[in-house]
Amino acid sequence: MFYQLIMAVIYLPAYNTFRDNLDDLHISIVNKDTSKSGKTLVNQLEDTYNKQKKCS
């Protein structure tokens, strides 16, 4: 019971803060795969990034 109380006090406020600041999260992806599937992944990520950049 004590553990559950401590987790509720610590985890829930941190979760809400993280969720509110999720738009400010920066992610880096390193892709060393030079195969066809690796290039497809790179193209999809670039397309998605460019679309999101245009919307904002």
Side-chain angles (χ1 to χ4, degrees):
M1 180 72 177
F2 179 72
Y3 177 76
Q4 292 172 337
L5 179 64
I6 295 299
M7 286 304 293
V9 169
I10 294 172
Y11 180 75
L12 291 177
Y15 176 76
N16 287 333
T17 301
F18 177 77
R19 188 182 60 191
D20 292 341
N21 295 320
L22 193 58
D23 291 341
D24 297 331
L25 182 66
H26 298 280
I27 298 173
S28 296
I29 298 174
V30 177
N31 182 17
K32 294 183 178 183
D33 185 3
T34 58
S35 68
K36 183 178 179 182
S37 61
K39 291 177 183 177
T40 302
L41 174 66
V42 169
N43 290 336
Q44 289 174 349
L45 290 171
E46 286 177 342
D47 290 345
T48 303
Y49 175 74
N50 290 332
K51 287 177 184 176
Q52 288 179 351
K53 201 172 176 183
K54 288 180 185 177
C55 292
S56 57

